[in-house]
Amino acid sequence: MSQENVPAQPPTGVGLEGLRAAAAGCRACELWEPATQTVFGEGPETARVVFVGEQPGDQEDRRGEPFVGPAGRLLDRALGDAGIERGDAYITNAVKHFRFTPTPKRRLHQTPGPEHLRACRPWLEAEFAVLQPEVVVCLGATAAKALISPSFRITRERGQLLPWTPPGADTLFSAADDDEDAPHQTWMLATTHPSAILRTPDEARPAAYDALVADLRVVAQALA
């Protein structure tokens, strides 16, 4: 079970499609068993921006694609309003399997634990190694705490561009110091997860949505 989880061991040098194929058989934690399938990231290898959510939801688990449920539709609208093409972005999750509590009517979302984040982190690192993005956007507290700091607070520090070094990139940067094609600075920004906006009371939802769009416009400006 969870206390026996060990970090996944993705293959190297296989590109995103090879990683996706390997992740389909991941057994690094116990979440694979009740889930329908692994939900890997999607987007072009040339993507300059990567969005990282928490985990797939019910519809994502059934379809095998990230951010295709109500939260995904809201994210699509916010990206459009901010001037970011979803097709130019890579979208993934910190945990690749849906963690839920079954009930007679539906499967209830359950936040992944630190052990699930640790087990799944190598997949995220492998995605970063292929993509080498300019900007990484954490959607929600779970992704922000996993990638920035356990003490990070969305309510206090959202919408700020922070310099960030992708895991495992130290060797890449040092080896390329004298190369004119050397990787440039990677930036990190955290904002609200779209699902949190959907849970916001009706009267406060427009302001919450506008705040998300404002954060995404910071990302658009960084990519300009």
Side-chain angles (χ1 to χ4, degrees):
M1 297 302 289
S2 61
Q3 65 269 26
E4 299 171 351
N5 291 349
V6 294
Q9 296 183 317
T12 58
V14 296
L16 291 177
E17 286 306 316
L19 290 172
R20 181 176 291 107
C26 185
R27 302 292 185 265
C29 76
E30 81 284 1
L31 296 184
W32 70 270
E33 197 163 8
T36 304
Q37 59 194 314
T38 303
V39 182
F40 205 69
E42 286 200 348
E45 288 197 9
T46 55
R48 297 168 61 200
V49 58
V50 175
F51 292 87
V52 183
E54 176 190 277
Q55 66 170 356
D58 181 78
Q59 292 190 34
E60 289 79 7
D61 171 75
R62 298 180 191 280
R63 291 176 54 179
E65 303 172 54
F67 283 88
V68 292
R73 291 191 289 274
L74 188 143
L75 178 61
D76 284 349
R77 181 159 63 93
L79 289 172
D81 288 345
I84 299 173
E85 292 287 340
R86 174 159 174 166
D88 295 335
Y90 186 85
I91 300 181
T92 190
N93 284 294
V95 172
K96 313 299 193 206
H97 284 112
F98 180 32
R99 188 186 191 198
F100 61 90
T101 301
T103 71
K105 290 190 175 181
R106 60 193 183 100
R107 303 183 297 176
L108 300 178
H109 165 276
Q110 187 178 0
T111 301
E115 69 275 16
H116 305 119
L117 291 165
R118 284 193 298 270
C120 212
R121 185 178 177 89
W123 293 114
L124 196 56
E125 294 178 356
E127 288 172 296
F128 288 142
V130 173
L131 293 159
Q132 299 180 32
E134 295 176 37
V135 183
V136 176
V137 180
C138 295
L139 297 170
T142 298
K145 289 179 179 180
L147 290 176
I148 301 175
S149 165
S151 62
F152 191 91
R153 295 292 178 268
I154 291 285
T155 53
R156 187 172 65 237
E157 301 171 278
R158 62 178 294 170
Q160 301 178 35
L161 281 174
L162 307 171
W164 185 72
T165 300
D170 296 340
T171 303
L172 178 65
F173 277 87
S174 60
D177 280 343
D178 297 325
D179 187 344
E180 63 182 15
D181 295 324
H184 40 66
Q185 174 67 60
T186 301
W187 297 95
M188 173 74 74
L189 180 142
T191 188
T192 308
H193 195 289
S195 64
I197 296 174
L198 295 175
R199 295 192 301 269
T200 301
D202 290 349
E203 65 275 12
R205 194 172 300 154
Y209 175 79
D210 289 345
L212 171 62
V213 172
D215 291 344
L216 294 179
R217 284 183 176 142
V218 173
V219 175
Q221 291 169 2
L223 295 170

